Amino acid sequence: MQVERECLFCKSKFQTRSSSVGHYCSRSCNNKNRKPRGKKSLERRECGVCSKAFFDFPSQAKRFCSVECGYQSKRKGDVTKKCLNCAKDFILIRTQHRVNDRIFCSRRCSGVSKQYQGENVSASGYKMSGHGKSMKKLHRVLVENLLGRELATRETVHHIDEDKMNNTLGNLFLFRHKSAHQRWHKFLDRHSLDGKILESNLNLLAS
C-alpha cells in the first residue's frame, strides 16, 4: 500500500510503502541532512602521555592519540632489576594487579636449568622439587604431602609474607580458586595493608 509523506530535508511530497520507515524522498536528501563529520563536529583533546592535541567524537572515551601512547600508559609502573645469575639488568613489566617479581632475566639463567644456592629455583623465584618433567613447585609439594592428596590446578598456595623462598607451613595459605588469590592481592593493594594479617589455614584443612 502506497502512502504520501513529506521529506524532512526538502519538504517535498513523495510516495512510499506504508511498511517503509523512510523519511527522505531520495538518498541525496538523506546525505545532505546528516551532520558534517569534519573537525567542527569533533572534540579537541590532549593525549595523556605525550600531551599532543588530537580530535575525536564526544561520544568516544579515547584518552590517547595513538596505540603506542596507550601502550606506554600501561607500562608506567615497569621496574628494572638485576638478574641473580648473570647480573644483567632486565625490565619487569607491570601486570594487571602488580609488578611481576621474577629474579632471573631468562629461562637459561633460572634455577630450572641451573643450581642456585644449592636448590632449583624457577624463573619466577619459586623453589622447585623433583627432576626433569616431574619438577614441581616445592610449596605445592609440601601442601600436598600435608593434605595427603594432589592439589587441583585451580588451587593456589599463597606465601603470607610474600617471600617465595620461605616455604614453612606457617607461611602458606591455600586458596581454593585462583580468582580468590587475585582478589586477595587486589584487596591488599587497594587498602595498602600488610599481607601478614592472614593466618595459615593448612592445619585446619589437614584436621
Side-chain angles (χ1 to χ4, degrees), residues 132-188:
K133 294 183 179 179
S134 62
M135 188 174 290
K136 299 177 66 174
K137 293 177 180 177
L138 179 59
H139 59 283
R140 292 183 66 88
V141 174
L142 294 175
V143 175
E144 289 176 345
N145 292 339
L146 178 65
L147 301 181
R149 64 175 178 84
E150 286 192 5
L151 295 179
T153 305
R154 69 175 186 276
E155 294 180 304
T156 301
V157 180
H158 168 70
H159 291 80
I160 295 175
D161 63 357
E162 299 192 4
D163 179 6
K164 296 180 179 181
M165 306 296 283
N166 182 8
N167 290 322
T168 56
L169 294 178
N171 188 49
L172 302 178
F173 187 95
L174 180 62
F175 285 97
R176 294 294 189 182
H177 297 276
K178 293 180 180 179
S179 58
H181 183 225
Q182 294 173 352
R183 287 197 299 269
W184 173 250
H185 279 291
K186 279 186 177 180
F187 174 78
L188 294 179

Side-chain angles (χ1 to χ4, degrees), residues 2 9 52 100 136:
Q2 295 287 328
F9 180 74
K52 179 182 177 181
N100 187 322
K136 299 177 66 174

